[in-house]
Amino acid sequence: MLGPEARLAVARLAAAVLSVRPLVEGIAAPVRVAAVDRDAEPVPGGQPPAQWRALRALLARVARRTGVSGLVLSGEEAYDDLQVFERVISERLALADLLDSVGAVPVDRLGEVDSVVDTALRESFDGLSRRGTVISADGTPLNAYAAGEGEETVVLVPACGMPAALAEAWVRYFARNRRVLTWESRGLFGAEGVGEEQATGIDAQAGDLFAVMDHHGASAAHVIGLCGGAAIALAAAAELPSRVCSLSLWHGAYGFGENYPMTAHQQGLIELMTTAARSRTAAEAVHAAFCQAILTSTPADVAHFVLYPYASPELLYRYCRLNLGITGTDVEPYLDRVGLPTLVVTSRDDDIAHPEGSQRVAAGLPQGQLRVEPHGDHISLFSADASLLRVAEEFMERHRVPAH
């Protein structure tokens, strides 16, 4: 039997491997992994060869069991030679922190690892959510997720280009007593090389929300838009308000026709996106600059999610076109068409999406309610604590009846 220390090490590794799955799938295999800790410090030299063999065998076994193919353990000196996304994955896996523990997992006992990995799978986002394919109105396939059960349905409109698991805290919280639906941005997940161009406008992306609801038989739902998803949720509510019980918009990145409030981060990112969206050749030319810009502003604990749409020039090209479809749309015409109760949340110090954008949206909505937190932005939103999630839940509970 595996000892408690070894079981904990295996469970921790399985959870980490599952969390990097989207990024691994976004870059070309094989993906080299260096044995470093969370601070990118390598394993001290002189480790017994038997420990390296045990670590390599364990990584291979866990990766195979979780269905994350292409991870290859590199030598002790490999970290400086890795490309940027391989470094992010290496730091997330933090194999150096496991080296002493995996010595307790002999190669001939690796079969016992499977049950520990299976438990980790059941407890993961993949285990929580039922994943399926939904075909949107224009024929675009979407990765959609459903979790929980209940009389009410909550739809989380995702941040553009982000893996669904980034919003795991939100899904888990609301799935306690409600059905929760979400999806991943069109054309970005499961894409195999250059393919047919999908529509990238905000109306097409709003249509994806209704396609997911229709697929799961939800006639109406509480809709929560996160980051760029806030503008999509707003467009959807303006189109079919009878299908929205309440609307909740968190740290939205909105476009306006004039006097467009933008942070320095927004301005720089939109300039790069405008260039990258012109062509695949242009996206390839600015890919390295994008990676550097986003790395410097992304905390390590979410980098493996947030970096997904930058993993290749092709993904970057598609992502920029989708994002510009959101930020390039003037949301002012939607506002007076959304007569239902709407909570608009921002913070005083959001340096990613300008707080004035949310203030402007709340002021233009007939039933807009502005909430300004002391702190918060796009990144911290996804690790929201229970007190912030209760704000969204309490707002829903006051608006249970679908608006007509």
Side-chain angles (χ1 to χ4, degrees), residues 118-211:
D118 290 346
T119 299
L121 276 166
R122 288 192 296 272
E123 295 174 351
S124 70
F125 180 79
D126 289 358
L128 170 71
S129 304
R130 302 175 295 280
R131 173 176 163 175
T133 300
V134 171
I135 305 301
S136 197
D138 63 355
T140 300
L142 309 168
N143 288 341
Y145 301 82
E149 295 180 356
E151 293 182 2
E152 291 187 308
T153 297
V154 176
V155 179
L156 290 174
V157 188
C160 182
M162 297 297 114
L166 178 60
E168 180 173 352
W170 291 75
V171 174
R172 284 193 182 277
Y173 185 85
F174 292 111
R176 295 168 303 137
N177 51 13
R178 296 172 175 85
R179 179 174 58 167
V180 182
L181 307 177
T182 191
W183 76 97
E184 290 169 329
S185 301
R186 54 175 37 224
L188 283 176
F189 294 83
E192 298 291 341
V194 178
E196 183 180 349
E197 300 277 4
Q198 285 98 6
T200 58
I202 196 170
D203 291 338
Q205 296 186 61
D208 294 341
L209 185 158
F210 296 121

Coordinates of all heavy atoms in Angstrom, one line a residue, residues 118-211:
D118 N -7.8 8.6 -9.8 CA -9.2 8.6 -10.1 C -10.0 9.4 -9.1 O -11.0 10.1 -9.5 CB -9.7 7.1 -10.1 CG -9.2 6.3 -11.3 OD1 -8.7 6.9 -12.2 OD2 -9.3 5.1 -11.2
T119 N -9.6 9.4 -7.8 CA -10.2 10.2 -6.8 C -10.0 11.7 -7.1 O -10.9 12.5 -7.0 CB -9.7 9.9 -5.4 OG1 -10.0 8.5 -5.1 CG2 -10.3 10.8 -4.4
A120 N -8.8 12.1 -7.5 CA -8.5 13.4 -7.9 C -9.4 13.9 -9.1 O -9.8 15.0 -9.2 CB -7.0 13.6 -8.2
L121 N -9.6 13.0 -10.1 CA -10.4 13.3 -11.2 C -11.8 13.6 -10.8 O -12.5 14.5 -11.3 CB -10.4 12.1 -12.2 CG -9.2 12.0 -13.2 CD1 -9.2 10.6 -13.8 CD2 -9.4 13.1 -14.3
R122 N -12.4 12.8 -9.9 CA -13.7 13.0 -9.4 C -13.9 14.3 -8.7 O -15.0 14.9 -8.7 CB -14.2 11.8 -8.5 CG -14.4 10.5 -9.2 CD -15.1 9.5 -8.3 NE -14.3 9.1 -7.2 CZ -13.5 8.1 -7.1 NH1 -13.3 7.4 -8.2 NH2 -12.8 7.9 -6.0
E123 N -12.8 14.7 -8.0 CA -12.9 16.0 -7.2 C -12.5 17.2 -8.0 O -12.6 18.3 -7.5 CB -12.0 15.9 -6.0 CG -12.4 14.8 -5.0 CD -11.4 14.6 -3.9 OE1 -10.3 15.1 -4.0 OE2 -11.8 13.8 -3.0
S124 N -12.1 17.0 -9.3 CA -11.6 18.1 -10.1 C -12.8 18.9 -10.8 O -13.9 18.4 -10.7 CB -10.7 17.6 -11.2 OG -11.4 16.8 -12.1
F125 N -12.5 19.9 -11.5 CA -13.5 20.6 -12.3 C -14.1 19.7 -13.3 O -15.3 19.7 -13.6 CB -12.9 21.8 -13.0 CG -13.8 22.6 -13.9 CD1 -14.7 23.5 -13.3 CD2 -13.9 22.4 -15.2 CE1 -15.7 24.2 -14.0 CE2 -14.8 23.1 -16.0 CZ -15.7 24.0 -15.4
D126 N -13.3 18.8 -13.9 CA -13.8 17.8 -14.9 C -14.8 16.9 -14.2 O -15.8 16.5 -14.9 CB -12.7 17.0 -15.5 CG -11.8 17.8 -16.4 OD1 -12.1 19.0 -16.6 OD2 -10.8 17.3 -16.9
G127 N -14.6 16.5 -13.0 CA -15.5 15.6 -12.3 C -16.8 16.4 -11.8 O -17.8 15.8 -11.8
L128 N -16.6 17.7 -11.5 CA -17.8 18.5 -11.1 C -18.7 18.7 -12.3 O -19.9 18.8 -12.1 CB -17.2 19.8 -10.6 CG -18.3 20.9 -10.3 CD1 -19.1 20.5 -9.1 CD2 -17.6 22.2 -10.0
S129 N -18.1 19.0 -13.5 CA -18.9 19.5 -14.6 C -19.1 18.4 -15.7 O -18.1 17.7 -16.0 CB -18.2 20.7 -15.2 OG -18.0 21.7 -14.3
R130 N -20.2 18.3 -16.2 CA -20.5 17.4 -17.4 C -20.2 18.2 -18.7 O -20.9 19.2 -19.0 CB -21.9 16.9 -17.3 CG -22.3 16.2 -16.0 CD -23.8 15.9 -16.0 NE -24.7 17.0 -15.9 CZ -24.9 17.8 -14.9 NH1 -24.3 17.5 -13.7 NH2 -25.7 18.8 -14.9
R131 N -19.2 17.7 -19.4 CA -18.8 18.4 -20.6 C -19.5 17.8 -21.8 O -19.6 16.6 -21.9 CB -17.3 18.4 -20.8 CG -16.8 18.9 -22.1 CD -15.3 18.9 -22.1 NE -14.8 19.1 -23.5 CZ -13.5 19.2 -23.8 NH1 -12.6 19.1 -22.9 NH2 -13.1 19.3 -25.1
G132 N -19.9 18.7 -22.7 CA -20.6 18.2 -23.9 C -20.3 19.2 -25.1 O -19.8 20.3 -24.8
T133 N -20.7 18.9 -26.2 CA -20.6 19.7 -27.4 C -22.0 20.3 -27.7 O -23.0 19.6 -27.9 CB -20.1 19.0 -28.6 OG1 -18.8 18.5 -28.3 CG2 -19.9 19.9 -29.8
V134 N -22.0 21.7 -27.9 CA -23.2 22.4 -28.2 C -23.0 23.0 -29.6 O -21.9 23.6 -29.8 CB -23.6 23.4 -27.2 CG1 -24.7 24.3 -27.7 CG2 -24.0 22.7 -25.9
I135 N -23.9 22.9 -30.5 CA -23.8 23.6 -31.8 C -24.5 24.9 -31.8 O -25.8 24.9 -31.5 CB -24.3 22.7 -32.9 CG1 -23.6 21.3 -32.9 CG2 -24.1 23.4 -34.3 CD1 -22.1 21.3 -33.0
S136 N -23.8 26.0 -32.0 CA -24.4 27.3 -32.0 C -25.3 27.5 -33.2 O -25.3 26.7 -34.2 CB -23.4 28.4 -31.8 OG -24.0 29.6 -31.4
A137 N -26.0 28.6 -33.3 CA -26.9 28.9 -34.4 C -26.3 28.9 -35.7 O -26.9 28.6 -36.7 CB -27.6 30.3 -34.1
D138 N -25.0 29.3 -35.8 CA -24.3 29.4 -37.1 C -23.5 28.1 -37.4 O -22.7 28.1 -38.3 CB -23.4 30.6 -37.2 CG -22.3 30.6 -36.1 OD1 -22.3 29.7 -35.3 OD2 -21.4 31.5 -36.1
G139 N -23.7 27.1 -36.6 CA -23.0 25.8 -36.8 C -21.7 25.7 -36.1 O -21.0 24.6 -36.2
T140 N -21.3 26.7 -35.3 CA -20.0 26.6 -34.6 C -20.1 25.7 -33.4 O -21.0 25.8 -32.6 CB -19.6 28.0 -34.1 OG1 -19.4 28.8 -35.2 CG2 -18.3 27.9 -33.3
P141 N -19.2 24.7 -33.3 CA -19.3 23.8 -32.1 C -18.7 24.5 -30.9 O -17.7 25.2 -31.0 CB -18.5 22.6 -32.5 CG -17.5 23.1 -33.5 CD -18.2 24.2 -34.2
L142 N -19.3 24.3 -29.7 CA -18.8 24.9 -28.5 C -18.6 23.8 -27.4 O -19.3 22.8 -27.3 CB -19.8 25.9 -27.9 CG -20.4 26.9 -28.8 CD1 -21.6 27.6 -28.2 CD2 -19.3 27.9 -29.2
N143 N -17.5 23.9 -26.6 CA -17.4 23.1 -25.4 C -18.3 23.7 -24.3 O -18.0 24.9 -23.9 CB -15.9 23.1 -24.9 CG -15.0 22.3 -25.8 OD1 -15.4 21.5 -26.6 ND2 -13.7 22.6 -25.7
A144 N -19.3 23.0 -23.9 CA -20.2 23.5 -22.9 C -20.1 22.6 -21.6 O -19.8 21.4 -21.7 CB -21.6 23.5 -23.4
Y145 N -20.4 23.2 -20.5 CA -20.3 22.5 -19.2 C -21.5 22.7 -18.4 O -22.1 23.9 -18.3 CB -19.1 23.0 -18.4 CG -17.8 22.8 -19.2 CD1 -17.4 23.7 -20.2 CD2 -16.9 21.8 -18.9 CE1 -16.2 23.6 -20.9 CE2 -15.8 21.6 -19.6 CZ -15.4 22.5 -20.6 OH -14.2 22.3 -21.3
A146 N -22.0 21.7 -17.7 CA -23.1 21.8 -16.8 C -22.8 21.1 -15.5 O -22.2 20.1 -15.4 CB -24.4 21.1 -17.4
A147 N -23.1 21.8 -14.4 CA -22.8 21.3 -13.1 C -24.0 21.6 -12.1 O -24.8 22.5 -12.3 CB -21.6 22.0 -12.5
G148 N -24.2 20.7 -11.2 CA -25.2 20.9 -10.2 C -26.6 20.6 -10.7 O -26.8 20.4 -11.8
E149 N -27.6 20.7 -9.7 CA -29.0 20.6 -10.0 C -29.8 21.5 -9.2 O -29.4 21.9 -8.1 CB -29.4 19.1 -9.8 CG -28.8 18.1 -10.6 CD -29.2 16.7 -10.3 OE1 -30.0 16.5 -9.4 OE2 -28.8 15.7 -11.0
G150 N -31.0 21.8 -9.7 CA -31.9 22.7 -8.9 C -32.9 23.3 -9.8 O -32.9 23.2 -11.1
E151 N -33.9 24.0 -9.2 CA -35.0 24.6 -10.0 C -34.5 25.8 -10.8 O -35.0 26.1 -11.9 CB -36.1 25.0 -9.1 CG -36.8 23.8 -8.4 CD -38.0 24.3 -7.6 OE1 -38.2 25.5 -7.5 OE2 -38.6 23.4 -6.9
E152 N -33.5 26.5 -10.3 CA -33.0 27.7 -11.0 C -31.7 27.3 -11.8 O -30.9 26.4 -11.4 CB -32.6 28.8 -10.0 CG -33.8 29.4 -9.3 CD -33.5 30.6 -8.5 OE1 -32.6 30.5 -7.6 OE2 -34.1 31.7 -8.7
T153 N -31.5 28.1 -12.8 CA -30.3 27.9 -13.7 C -29.5 29.2 -13.6 O -30.0 30.3 -13.7 CB -30.7 27.6 -15.1 OG1 -31.4 26.4 -15.2 CG2 -29.4 27.5 -16.0
V154 N -28.2 29.1 -13.5 CA -27.3 30.2 -13.6 C -26.4 29.9 -14.8 O -25.8 28.8 -15.0 CB -26.4 30.2 -12.3 CG1 -25.3 31.3 -12.4 CG2 -27.2 30.4 -11.0
V155 N -26.2 30.9 -15.6 CA -25.3 30.9 -16.7 C -24.1 31.8 -16.5 O -24.3 33.0 -16.3 CB -26.0 31.3 -18.1 CG1 -25.0 31.2 -19.2 CG2 -27.2 30.3 -18.3
L156 N -22.9 31.3 -16.5 CA -21.7 32.0 -16.3 C -21.2 32.3 -17.7 O -20.9 31.4 -18.5 CB -20.7 31.3 -15.5 CG -20.9 31.1 -14.0 CD1 -19.8 30.2 -13.5 CD2 -20.9 32.4 -13.3
V157 N -21.2 33.6 -18.1 CA -20.6 34.0 -19.4 C -19.1 34.2 -19.2 O -18.7 35.1 -18.5 CB -21.3 35.3 -19.9 CG1 -20.9 35.5 -21.4 CG2 -22.8 35.1 -19.9
P158 N -18.3 33.4 -19.9 CA -16.9 33.4 -19.5 C -16.1 34.6 -20.0 O -16.5 35.2 -21.0 CB -16.4 32.1 -20.2 CG -17.3 31.9 -21.4 CD -18.6 32.5 -20.9
A159 N -15.0 34.8 -19.4 CA -14.0 35.7 -20.0 C -13.5 35.2 -21.3 O -13.3 34.0 -21.4 CB -12.8 35.9 -19.0
C160 N -13.4 36.0 -22.3 CA -13.1 35.6 -23.6 C -11.8 34.8 -23.7 O -10.7 35.3 -23.1 CB -13.0 36.8 -24.6 SG -12.6 36.4 -26.3
G161 N -11.8 33.6 -24.3 CA -10.6 32.9 -24.5 C -10.1 32.1 -23.4 O -9.1 31.4 -23.5
M162 N -10.7 32.1 -22.2 CA -10.2 31.5 -21.0 C -10.8 30.1 -20.9 O -12.0 29.9 -21.1 CB -10.5 32.3 -19.8 CG -9.9 33.6 -19.7 SD -8.1 33.6 -19.7 CE -7.7 34.3 -21.3
P163 N -10.0 29.1 -20.4 CA -10.6 27.8 -20.1 C -11.7 27.9 -19.1 O -11.6 28.7 -18.1 CB -9.4 27.0 -19.6 CG -8.2 27.7 -20.1 CD -8.5 29.1 -20.2
A164 N -12.7 27.0 -19.2 CA -13.8 27.1 -18.3 C -13.4 26.9 -16.8 O -14.0 27.5 -15.9 CB -14.9 26.0 -18.7
A165 N -12.4 26.1 -16.6 CA -11.9 25.8 -15.2 C -11.4 27.0 -14.5 O -11.3 27.0 -13.3 CB -10.9 24.7 -15.2
L166 N -11.1 28.1 -15.2 CA -10.7 29.3 -14.5 C -11.8 29.8 -13.6 O -11.5 30.4 -12.6 CB -10.4 30.4 -15.6 CG -9.9 31.8 -15.0 CD1 -8.7 31.7 -14.2 CD2 -9.7 32.8 -16.2
A167 N -13.1 29.6 -13.9 CA -14.2 30.0 -13.1 C -14.7 28.9 -12.2 O -15.8 29.0 -11.7 CB -15.3 30.5 -14.0
E168 N -13.8 28.0 -11.9 CA -14.2 26.9 -11.0 C -14.8 27.3 -9.7 O -15.8 26.7 -9.2 CB -13.0 25.9 -10.7 CG -13.4 24.7 -9.9 CD -12.3 23.7 -9.8 OE1 -11.2 23.9 -10.5 OE2 -12.4 22.8 -8.9
A169 N -14.3 28.3 -9.0 CA -14.8 28.8 -7.8 C -16.3 29.2 -7.9 O -17.1 28.9 -7.0 CB -14.0 29.9 -7.2
W170 N -16.6 29.9 -9.0 CA -18.0 30.3 -9.2 C -18.9 29.1 -9.5 O -20.0 29.1 -9.0 CB -18.0 31.3 -10.4 CG -17.3 32.6 -10.2 CD1 -16.0 32.9 -10.1 CD2 -18.0 33.9 -9.9 NE1 -15.8 34.2 -9.8 CE2 -17.0 34.8 -9.7 CE3 -19.3 34.2 -9.9 CZ2 -17.3 36.2 -9.4 CZ3 -19.7 35.6 -9.7 CH2 -18.7 36.5 -9.4
V171 N -18.4 28.2 -10.3 CA -19.2 27.0 -10.7 C -19.5 26.2 -9.4 O -20.6 25.8 -9.1 CB -18.5 26.2 -11.7 CG1 -19.3 24.9 -11.9 CG2 -18.3 26.9 -13.0
R172 N -18.5 26.0 -8.6 CA -18.7 25.2 -7.4 C -19.7 25.9 -6.4 O -20.5 25.2 -5.8 CB -17.3 25.0 -6.7 CG -16.5 23.9 -7.3 CD -15.3 23.5 -6.4 NE -14.5 22.5 -7.1 CZ -14.7 21.2 -7.2 NH1 -15.8 20.8 -6.6 NH2 -13.9 20.4 -7.8
Y173 N -19.5 27.2 -6.3 CA -20.4 27.9 -5.3 C -21.9 27.8 -5.7 O -22.7 27.4 -4.9 CB -20.0 29.3 -5.2 CG -20.7 30.1 -4.2 CD1 -20.3 30.1 -2.9 CD2 -21.9 30.8 -4.5 CE1 -21.0 30.8 -1.9 CE2 -22.6 31.5 -3.5 CZ -22.1 31.5 -2.2 OH -22.8 32.2 -1.3
F174 N -22.2 28.0 -7.0 CA -23.6 28.1 -7.4 C -24.1 26.7 -7.6 O -25.4 26.5 -7.6 CB -23.8 29.0 -8.6 CG -23.5 30.4 -8.3 CD1 -22.4 31.1 -8.8 CD2 -24.4 31.1 -7.4 CE1 -22.2 32.4 -8.5 CE2 -24.2 32.4 -7.1 CZ -23.1 33.1 -7.6
A175 N -23.3 25.7 -7.9 CA -23.7 24.3 -8.1 C -24.2 23.6 -6.9 O -24.7 22.5 -6.9 CB -22.6 23.5 -8.8
R176 N -24.0 24.3 -5.7 CA -24.5 23.6 -4.5 C -26.0 23.4 -4.5 O -26.5 22.4 -4.0 CB -24.1 24.5 -3.3 CG -22.6 24.7 -3.0 CD -22.4 25.9 -2.0 NE -23.1 27.1 -2.5 CZ -23.8 27.9 -1.7 NH1 -24.0 27.7 -0.5 NH2 -24.3 29.0 -2.3
N177 N -26.7 24.4 -5.1 CA -28.2 24.3 -5.1 C -28.8 24.8 -6.3 O -30.0 25.0 -6.4 CB -28.7 25.0 -3.9 CG -28.2 26.5 -3.8 OD1 -27.6 27.0 -4.8 ND2 -28.4 27.1 -2.7
R178 N -28.1 24.9 -7.4 CA -28.6 25.4 -8.7 C -27.9 24.6 -9.8 O -26.8 24.0 -9.6 CB -28.4 26.9 -8.9 CG -29.1 27.8 -7.9 CD -28.6 29.2 -8.1 NE -29.4 30.1 -7.2 CZ -29.1 30.4 -5.9 NH1 -28.0 29.8 -5.4 NH2 -29.8 31.2 -5.2
R179 N -28.5 24.7 -11.0 CA -27.8 24.2 -12.2 C -27.0 25.3 -12.7 O -27.4 26.4 -12.9 CB -28.8 23.7 -13.2 CG -28.1 23.1 -14.5 CD -29.1 22.5 -15.4 NE -30.2 23.4 -15.8 CZ -31.0 23.2 -16.8 NH1 -30.9 22.1 -17.5 NH2 -31.9 24.1 -17.2
V180 N -25.7 25.0 -13.0 CA -24.8 26.0 -13.6 C -24.4 25.6 -15.0 O -23.9 24.5 -15.2 CB -23.6 26.2 -12.6 CG1 -22.7 27.3 -13.2 CG2 -24.0 26.5 -11.2
L181 N -24.5 26.5 -15.9 CA -24.0 26.3 -17.3 C -23.0 27.3 -17.6 O -23.0 28.5 -17.2 CB -25.2 26.5 -18.3 CG -26.5 25.7 -18.0 CD1 -27.6 26.0 -19.0 CD2 -26.2 24.2 -18.0
T182 N -22.0 26.9 -18.4 CA -21.0 27.8 -19.0 C -20.4 27.1 -20.2 O -20.8 26.0 -20.6 CB -19.9 28.1 -17.9 OG1 -19.1 29.2 -18.4 CG2 -19.0 26.9 -17.6
W183 N -19.5 27.8 -20.9 CA -18.9 27.3 -22.1 C -17.6 28.0 -22.4 O -17.2 28.9 -21.6 CB -19.9 27.5 -23.3 CG -20.0 28.9 -23.9 CD1 -19.3 29.4 -24.9 CD2 -20.8 30.0 -23.3 NE1 -19.7 30.7 -25.1 CE2 -20.6 31.1 -24.2 CE3 -21.7 30.1 -22.3 CZ2 -21.2 32.3 -24.0 CZ3 -22.3 31.3 -22.1 CH2 -22.1 32.4 -22.9
E184 N -16.9 27.5 -23.4 CA -15.6 28.1 -23.8 C -15.7 28.8 -25.1 O -16.5 28.3 -26.0 CB -14.5 27.0 -23.8 CG -14.2 26.5 -22.4 CD -13.3 25.3 -22.4 OE1 -13.4 24.5 -23.3 OE2 -12.5 25.2 -21.4
S185 N -15.0 29.9 -25.3 CA -15.2 30.7 -26.5 C -15.1 30.0 -27.8 O -14.2 29.1 -28.0 CB -14.1 31.8 -26.4 OG -14.2 32.6 -25.3
R186 N -15.9 30.4 -28.7 CA -16.0 29.7 -30.0 C -14.6 29.8 -30.8 O -13.9 30.8 -30.7 CB -17.0 30.4 -30.8 CG -16.9 31.9 -30.9 CD -17.9 32.6 -31.9 NE -19.2 32.0 -31.8 CZ -20.0 31.8 -32.9 NH1 -19.5 32.1 -34.1 NH2 -21.2 31.2 -32.8
G187 N -14.3 28.7 -31.5 CA -13.2 28.7 -32.3 C -11.8 28.6 -31.7 O -10.8 28.5 -32.4
L188 N -11.8 28.5 -30.3 CA -10.5 28.5 -29.6 C -10.1 27.2 -29.0 O -8.9 26.9 -28.7 CB -10.5 29.6 -28.6 CG -10.3 31.0 -29.0 CD1 -10.4 32.0 -27.9 CD2 -8.9 31.2 -29.7
F189 N -11.1 26.4 -28.7 CA -10.8 25.1 -28.0 C -11.1 23.9 -28.9 O -12.2 23.8 -29.5 CB -11.7 25.1 -26.7 CG -11.3 26.1 -25.7 CD1 -11.8 27.4 -25.8 CD2 -10.4 25.9 -24.7 CE1 -11.4 28.4 -24.9 CE2 -10.0 26.8 -23.8 CZ -10.5 28.1 -23.9
G190 N -10.1 23.1 -29.0 CA -10.2 21.9 -29.9 C -10.0 22.2 -31.3 O -10.2 21.4 -32.2
A191 N -9.5 23.5 -31.6 CA -9.2 23.9 -32.9 C -7.9 23.2 -33.4 O -6.9 23.1 -32.8 CB -9.0 25.4 -33.0
E192 N -8.0 22.6 -34.6 CA -6.9 21.9 -35.2 C -6.3 22.7 -36.4 O -6.8 22.6 -37.5 CB -7.3 20.5 -35.7 CG -7.8 19.6 -34.6 CD -6.7 19.2 -33.6 OE1 -5.5 19.3 -34.0 OE2 -7.0 18.7 -32.5
G193 N -5.4 23.5 -36.1 CA -4.7 24.3 -37.2 C -5.7 25.3 -37.8 O -6.7 25.6 -37.3
V194 N -5.3 25.7 -39.0 CA -6.1 26.7 -39.7 C -7.4 26.1 -40.3 O -7.3 25.1 -41.0 CB -5.3 27.3 -40.9 CG1 -6.1 28.3 -41.7 CG2 -4.0 28.0 -40.4
G195 N -8.5 26.6 -39.9 CA -9.7 26.0 -40.4 C -10.7 27.1 -40.8 O -10.3 28.3 -41.1
E196 N -11.9 26.8 -40.9 CA -13.0 27.7 -41.4 C -13.1 28.9 -40.4 O -13.1 28.7 -39.2 CB -14.3 27.0 -41.5 CG -15.4 27.9 -42.0 CD -16.7 27.1 -42.1 OE1 -16.7 25.8 -42.0 OE2 -17.8 27.7 -42.4
E197 N -13.2 30.1 -40.9 CA -13.3 31.2 -40.0 C -14.8 31.3 -39.4 O -15.7 31.2 -40.2 CB -13.1 32.5 -40.8 CG -11.7 32.6 -41.5 CD -10.7 33.1 -40.5 OE1 -11.0 33.3 -39.3 OE2 -9.5 33.3 -40.9
Q198 N -14.8 31.4 -38.1 CA -16.1 31.6 -37.5 C -16.5 33.1 -37.3 O -15.6 33.9 -37.3 CB -16.2 30.9 -36.1 CG -16.3 29.4 -36.1 CD -14.9 28.7 -36.0 OE1 -13.9 29.4 -35.7 NE2 -14.9 27.4 -36.1
A199 N -17.7 33.4 -37.2 CA -18.1 34.7 -36.8 C -17.5 35.1 -35.5 O -17.5 34.3 -34.6 CB -19.6 34.9 -36.8
T200 N -17.1 36.4 -35.4 CA -16.4 36.8 -34.1 C -17.1 38.0 -33.5 O -16.7 38.5 -32.5 CB -15.0 37.2 -34.4 OG1 -14.9 38.2 -35.4 CG2 -14.2 36.0 -34.9
G201 N -18.2 38.5 -34.1 CA -18.9 39.6 -33.5 C -19.6 39.3 -32.2 O -19.8 38.2 -31.9
I202 N -19.9 40.4 -31.5 CA -20.5 40.2 -30.2 C -21.9 39.5 -30.3 O -22.3 38.8 -29.4 CB -20.6 41.5 -29.4 CG1 -20.9 41.3 -27.9 CG2 -21.7 42.4 -30.0 CD1 -20.7 42.5 -27.1
D203 N -22.6 39.7 -31.4 CA -24.0 39.1 -31.5 C -23.8 37.6 -31.7 O -24.7 36.9 -31.1 CB -24.7 39.7 -32.7 CG -25.1 41.2 -32.5 OD1 -25.2 41.6 -31.3 OD2 -25.3 41.9 -33.5
A204 N -22.8 37.1 -32.4 CA -22.6 35.7 -32.5 C -22.2 35.1 -31.2 O -22.7 34.0 -30.8 CB -21.5 35.4 -33.6
Q205 N -21.4 35.8 -30.4 CA -21.0 35.3 -29.1 C -22.2 35.3 -28.1 O -22.3 34.4 -27.3 CB -19.8 36.1 -28.6 CG -18.6 36.0 -29.5 CD -17.4 36.7 -28.9 OE1 -16.9 36.3 -27.8 NE2 -16.9 37.7 -29.6
A206 N -23.1 36.3 -28.2 CA -24.3 36.3 -27.4 C -25.2 35.2 -27.8 O -25.9 34.6 -27.0 CB -25.0 37.7 -27.6
G207 N -25.2 34.8 -29.1 CA -26.0 33.7 -29.6 C -25.5 32.4 -29.0 O -26.3 31.4 -28.8
D208 N -24.2 32.3 -28.7 CA -23.7 31.1 -28.0 C -24.3 30.9 -26.7 O -24.6 29.7 -26.3 CB -22.2 31.2 -27.9 CG -21.5 31.2 -29.2 OD1 -22.1 30.8 -30.2 OD2 -20.3 31.7 -29.3
L209 N -24.6 32.0 -25.9 CA -25.2 31.8 -24.6 C -26.6 31.2 -24.8 O -26.9 30.2 -24.0 CB -25.4 33.2 -24.0 CG -26.0 33.4 -22.6 CD1 -25.5 34.7 -22.0 CD2 -27.5 33.3 -22.6
F210 N -27.4 31.6 -25.7 CA -28.7 31.0 -25.9 C -28.7 29.6 -26.4 O -29.5 28.8 -26.1 CB -29.6 31.9 -26.8 CG -29.9 33.3 -26.2 CD1 -29.5 34.4 -26.9 CD2 -30.5 33.4 -25.0 CE1 -29.7 35.7 -26.3 CE2 -30.7 34.6 -24.4 CZ -30.4 35.8 -25.1
A211 N -27.6 29.3 -27.2 CA -27.5 27.9 -27.7 C -27.2 27.0 -26.6 O -27.7 25.9 -26.5 CB -26.3 27.9 -28.7

